[in-house]
Amino acid sequence: MTRRRDLYDPTGERYGIPTYPWRMAPDGYATRRQLRAADLRPGGQGVAAQIERPRQRRGPLVAYLYTIDKAKPVRPMTPAKWAALAKANTARRTCPECERDAGYVIPASLGMCVPCAYPDDEQRAA
């Protein structure tokens, strides 16, 4: 099993990039999710470091880190992007069989709304 001290490689000699144990990254680094929460994005920069969390039966969990000072602000949504997103969500909610808005995202496993997938269940419930 990998120990925390084995994952501490701030110079990057062992792993190729600076590596830190889980929850021990120095200030100035953030994951994509942390950047997004701060309304930032990596902005084309490469991975600056990584953090690893050991697991017992599989390889370690790895999260890539980016430098906060090189991050750029998130691009704002334009009216065209909002319209495209609304159109895509409407398509995900429309049943291809009955062509009605199901009121929810159609499950990919069914490929159609629940009443179309299970027509017999609707008759029993009535």
Side-chain angles (χ1 to χ4, degrees):
M1 182 174 148
T2 307
R3 300 193 192 294
R4 279 184 161 227
R5 68 175 175 266
D6 296 335
L7 297 176
Y8 188 73
D9 180 25
T11 60
E13 290 178 24
R14 191 177 319 145
Y15 296 102
I17 61 173
T19 304
Y20 303 97
W22 200 256
R23 297 183 186 266
M24 295 191 62
D27 292 337
Y29 290 109
T31 64
R32 280 184 179 268
R33 286 187 180 190
Q34 291 168 335
L35 288 175
R36 183 62 187 197
D39 289 331
L40 297 171
R41 62 186 170 94
Q45 67 173 305
V47 174
Q50 67 183 1
I51 52 176
E52 289 191 1
R53 178 179 172 199
R55 297 190 288 182
Q56 290 184 350
R57 292 185 175 88
R58 295 186 288 183
L61 287 174
V62 177
Y64 297 115
L65 300 172
Y66 302 89
T67 54
I68 295 172
D69 58 342
K70 293 181 184 175
K72 296 180 180 176
V74 174
R75 295 183 187 121
M77 287 285 281
T78 63
K81 284 185 182 181
W82 280 113
L85 185 61
K87 187 176 179 181
N89 284 332
T90 301
R92 293 178 66 199
R93 294 167 53 113
T94 304
C95 176
E97 294 292 317
C98 64
E99 298 181 357
R100 288 185 283 174
D101 185 348
Y104 53 87
V105 175
I106 304 293
S109 60
L110 297 178
M112 60 186 78
C113 65
V114 174
C116 290
Y118 303 106
D120 295 337
D121 290 348
E122 188 176 300
Q123 293 172 357
R124 280 190 229 139

